[in-house]
Amino acid sequence: MPRIGESAQRRGAFITVEGGEGAGKSTQIARLAATLRARSGRGVCVTREPGGSPRAEEIRTALLGGLAKPYGPFAEALLFSAARIDHLDRLIRPALRRGETVLCDRFIDSTRAYQGAAGGLDPGVLDALERVVVGPTRPDLTLILDLAPEAGLARAAARAGGQGADRFEAETLDFHIRLRGAFLAIARAEPARCAVIDAGRDPDSVEAAIRATVAARLPELLPGEGTRGDAA
């Protein structure tokens, strides 16, 4: 049976991973991808936003370099949407039609949180962009890695190795506090889709919590894993 809002042509599963800076999304996506490749018997496509396709990666460079920042959150949201159109058309939708599991580092919730709640863009504008750009291609499961902003920014700075913060890492602590609140509000508003994972624990514990959540929410991806309930 097709999942939430999707056509019968869709055969794969779509999982997105969200959270603030330094929450460990890339690490945990890599671990989850390895588990699913070994256990699910399906192809696994790992991708990211902004980016994921050649044109979208070009837009990513501009966005993270801060080229759109002087024009405000609406201009940034438009650029994210342009990248998302190409990403969906060239990579995500074809992978889902092939029956693959798509793991995406950030998707619509990051636009809602960064340009919306933290950036001040009207939610109605973001809803309209989503209807046009995303349509029925909504995540089956969204894992929100929750971490105190101070800890996340410290991790991000250590990861950068002195190369300097990108456009979003360089925002004020107040921005990142609003960002965290936005992600948690999204999770409360859409509990059927979202699961909050405590990202302040060690990587192995976070991985175990994610695995338990995937097994509970999408048991066909981890056959025999059992239903142990969500992590948060």
Side-chain angles (χ1 to χ4, degrees):
M1 181 179 295
R3 293 191 179 88
I4 301 170
E6 192 62 278
S7 72
Q9 290 182 328
R10 175 171 168 177
R11 298 190 299 272
F14 188 15
I15 299 174
T16 57
V17 182
E18 300 279 6
E21 305 299 330
K25 297 186 309 309
S26 299
T27 296
Q28 293 302 330
I29 286 173
R31 291 185 177 208
L32 179 58
T35 296
L36 292 176
R37 288 184 177 118
R39 295 289 308 279
S40 72
R42 302 184 182 201
V44 178
C45 174
V46 175
T47 188
R48 66 180 183 178
E49 287 210 349
S53 63
R55 291 174 183 169
E57 288 291 335
E58 293 175 2
I59 296 174
R60 176 187 179 90
T61 299
L63 282 165
L64 297 190
L67 294 181
K69 182 178 180 180
Y71 302 99
F74 181 56
E76 285 190 325
L78 289 177
L79 283 174
F80 274 108
S81 295
R84 187 164 294 143
I85 288 170
D86 197 65
H87 190 202
L88 284 162
D89 287 347
R90 292 177 178 270
L91 190 139
I92 293 176
R93 287 174 180 141
L96 292 173
R97 286 194 293 269
R98 291 192 299 268
E100 297 179 14
T101 298
V102 176
L103 304 180
C104 190
D105 184 343
R106 300 197 181 284
F107 193 59
I108 54 175
D109 297 307
S110 279
T111 307
R112 294 175 180 179
Y114 278 79
Q115 282 71 51
L121 189 60
D122 190 310
V125 172
L126 294 175
D127 289 344
L129 285 173
E130 281 185 23
R131 285 195 300 272
V132 173
V133 173
V134 179
T137 313
R138 306 282 171 156
D140 298 301
L141 172 63
T142 296
L143 302 165
I144 296 177
L145 303 192
D146 180 51
L147 183 66
E150 298 88 343
L153 291 172
R155 285 185 185 179
R159 179 186 62 204
Q163 294 183 3
D166 68 25
R167 180 262 179 270
F168 298 106
E169 292 168 353
E171 282 285 354
T172 65
L173 178 59
D174 183 63
F175 176 94
H176 291 282
I177 291 171
R178 295 198 306 274
L179 189 67
R180 183 190 193 188
F183 281 122
L184 293 176
I186 290 168
R188 288 193 298 271
E190 299 186 54
R193 173 175 68 88
C194 300
V196 177
I197 306 293
D198 180 0
R201 293 172 288 181
D202 65 274
D204 289 346
S205 296
V206 176
E207 178 186 4
I210 288 173
R211 187 165 168 165
T213 300
V214 172
R217 298 289 188 98
L218 299 172
E220 68 273 20
L221 297 186
L222 290 174
E225 191 82 4
T227 303
R228 291 175 287 174
D230 293 347

